Amino acid sequence: MRNLTGTSRRAWVGVWIVLCAVGIAATAGLNAASAPDPHPEEPVSAECAEYIADVETQLAKARREGTDDDGVLAFSRSKAGAEDCSDELLEHFGADR
């Protein structure tokens, strides 16, 4: 086996240090690239927040009375020209699906 001199050993140590640094940098870059973008919570209008609270109240009442066996309840809005809260409702109640 060949006897390594001091300069040769330093060269190998230097190569290993560079390879380790490149590997760490590449891993950090891949982890940062694969992280999901956080979606900031958009504010819900007061009317939609009130409607969502009303739906939650009606759902809780249906659970207490045992009428939500099928898991389907229907809701309607009687106010003409009311703000469309369908996106907010989907976001609030459909997040676990």
Side-chain angles (χ1 to χ4, degrees):
M1 187 162 141
R2 197 175 97 150
N3 189 9
L4 297 176
T5 62
T7 306
S8 181
R9 285 186 188 147
R10 278 186 241 135
W12 278 108
V13 170
V15 167
W16 278 110
I17 290 173
V18 169
L19 287 175
C20 289
V22 168
I24 290 171
T27 301
L30 288 172
N31 286 340
S34 66
D37 294 333
H39 297 290
E41 290 290 323
E42 295 181 14
V44 178
S45 70
E47 184 178 321
C48 288
E50 182 181 330
Y51 185 58
I52 289 171
D54 184 45
V55 169
E56 286 180 340
T57 303
Q58 291 180 34
L59 284 172
K61 181 181 175 187
R63 285 188 190 111
R64 281 193 310 270
E65 294 173 356
T67 58
D68 70 337
D69 295 334
D70 295 336
V72 177
L73 294 173
F75 300 95
S76 64
R77 297 189 83 166
S78 60
K79 205 190 297 184
E83 182 179 345
D84 180 24
C85 298
S86 59
D87 291 339
E88 289 84 355
L89 284 168
L90 284 174
E91 182 70 29
H92 185 78
F93 291 107
D96 59 341
R97 295 181 185 196

